[in-house]
Amino acid sequence: MLATRSVARLAAQQSHQLGSAPKNARNMATLREIELRLKSVRNIEKITKSMKMIASTKLAKAQRAMTAGKEYGVANSEIFQHTPAETPAKRKLFIVVSSDKGLCGGIHSSVSKATRRAFADTENPVDADSPIMVIGDKSKGQLSRVLANNLALTFNQIGRDIPTFADAAGVADLIVTSGVEYDSLLIVYNKFVSAISYEPAIVEVANENTFKESGGFRAYEMEDDVTKDLAEFTLANAIYAALVEGHACEQSARRNAMDNASKNAKDMIDSLTMKYNRGRQAAITNELVDIITGASAL
């Protein structure tokens, strides 16, 4: 009977040893996972570095275009200084300048938040049904969740490259012919502060009625087409200035975002490399201990 129990115990031990995994199996699996993760993070770092270099090149071109485009905004400002609105407007048309591309930080959410703040402003109230027109799919998606009923017109495929005055003129023509009624027009865009910072800004553009009612224009006899053409031209000027400045902000934000992503990837690579080396050293130590233990048993 004692022999039967010994044989059963020996068989159970052998079956347990055959069914169990080696001691270092878990360490080997963990090292393999870390190695695969290191490889993927290194690939991501290569991509973010390449995107940073591309954004840096595009930023230089965008800054040159912004410098030239700002002259259009300066010309508009001189005209608007001599044509102030006599009565405050409540029904305002908001033109939100954004783009279709992402991977550039909070460049799109900044103009969306500025638009929502303008609607919630109690000092300068606007009508709750004031129309909104959006240039770019990113801000369109953000504003459609909050102010979907106010969206009157949206534009895309503008600003894929450096914006041109033809793009701005096409947008202005569609706005004029859309039939949307408004008392005043506000352009919400990102203002370029430096290569590493930007801020949302709102510029007001005078419409045809403002020109007709201003004292500076009433002092002269002119045809109706003059104020109409001037209003459309100043709108195209303002949109073009906002487009080129917003494009420069986008490229700057994308370069900064890719730079931060590259730094984070480098920190992750250092951490994973340290973890991998420690795991490999532990596995080697365990194998040496098993070898020495087996040799001592002999």
Side-chain angles (χ1 to χ4, degrees):
M1 185 175 180
L2 181 62
T4 304
R5 290 181 179 177
S6 300
V7 171
R9 189 182 303 111
L10 181 60
Q13 290 177 357
Q14 289 178 351
S15 63
H16 177 70
Q17 290 176 358
L18 290 173
S20 62
K23 294 181 179 179
N24 297 332
R26 177 57 184 168
N27 291 335
M28 293 172 63
T30 305
L31 289 176
R32 181 60 178 168
E33 292 171 0
I34 295 175
E35 188 176 2
L36 291 175
R37 193 174 181 188
L38 263 174
K39 183 178 180 181
S40 64
V41 174
R42 287 195 180 102
N43 292 336
I44 292 173
E45 185 187 25
K46 292 178 182 178
I47 294 172
T48 54
K49 283 185 176 180
S50 301
M51 293 183 69
K52 177 190 172 184
M53 294 175 61
I54 294 171
S56 299
T57 304
K58 289 185 176 181
L59 176 60
K61 297 180 180 178
Q63 284 181 310
R64 290 194 293 268
M66 179 187 66
T67 303
K70 277 186 175 181
E71 299 298 328
Y72 290 82
V74 172
N76 274 4
S77 300
E78 294 180 357
I79 295 176
F80 298 154
Q81 287 177 359
H82 296 85
T83 57
E86 297 182 356
T87 57
K90 289 188 177 181
R91 183 175 175 80
K92 299 179 179 180
L93 169 61
F94 290 85
I95 300 178
V96 182
V97 179
S98 175
S99 72
D100 303 332
K101 297 181 180 179
L103 297 177
C104 49
I107 196 77
H108 305 301
S109 60
S110 64
V111 290
S112 300
K113 290 178 181 178
T115 305
R116 294 200 298 267
R117 285 196 299 268
F119 271 84
D121 190 5
T122 56
E123 296 181 359
N124 298 310
V126 299
D127 288 348
D129 60 343
S130 293
I132 300 174
M133 296 184 181
V134 185
I135 300 175
D137 289 335
K138 293 298 181 179
S139 290
K140 172 191 172 183
Q142 296 172 359
L143 291 174
S144 61
R145 294 192 292 267
V146 183
L147 301 169
N149 296 329
N150 299 76
L151 293 180
L153 198 64
T154 60
F155 306 89
N156 57 9
Q157 304 297 324
I158 295 176
R160 295 176 65 88
D161 200 358
I162 297 177
T164 62
F165 187 79
D167 297 332
V171 173
D173 183 62
L174 290 174
I175 292 173
V176 172
T177 58
S178 64
V180 176
E181 297 180 357
Y182 57 90
D183 300 327
S184 177
L185 190 145
L186 301 177
I187 298 179
V188 186
Y189 69 103
N190 285 303
K191 183 179 180 182
F192 189 87
V193 179
S194 65
I196 58 174
S197 64
Y198 58 89
E199 61 182 11
I202 299 178
V203 60
E204 186 171 3
V205 181
N207 57 5
E208 182 181 358
N209 293 330
T210 304
F211 287 138
K212 289 181 179 179
E213 296 174 359
S214 63
F217 278 83
R218 284 203 306 261
Y220 302 94
E221 293 183 1
M222 58 184 67
E223 298 178 358
D224 293 339
D225 292 341
V226 174
T227 54
K228 180 181 178 181
D229 294 342
L230 180 61
E232 187 171 350
F233 182 69
T234 53
L235 176 59
N237 280 352
I239 292 175
Y240 176 60
L243 281 174
V244 293
E245 194 161 1
H247 181 72
C249 293
E250 179 186 350
Q251 297 301 332
S252 173
R254 182 171 290 112
R255 188 193 66 175
N256 295 333
M258 292 302 103
D259 185 34
N260 293 332
S262 300
K263 291 178 181 178
N264 292 337
K266 186 178 183 304
D267 294 341
M268 190 176 292
I269 288 171
D270 294 340
S271 176
L272 290 174
T273 302
M274 181 74 69
K275 190 181 294 185
Y276 177 79
N277 291 336
R278 286 178 179 176
R280 186 178 61 176
Q281 189 64 39
I284 293 172
T285 303
N286 291 334
E287 291 177 358
L288 289 175
V289 169
D290 292 341
I291 292 172
I292 295 171
T293 304
S296 300
L298 295 174

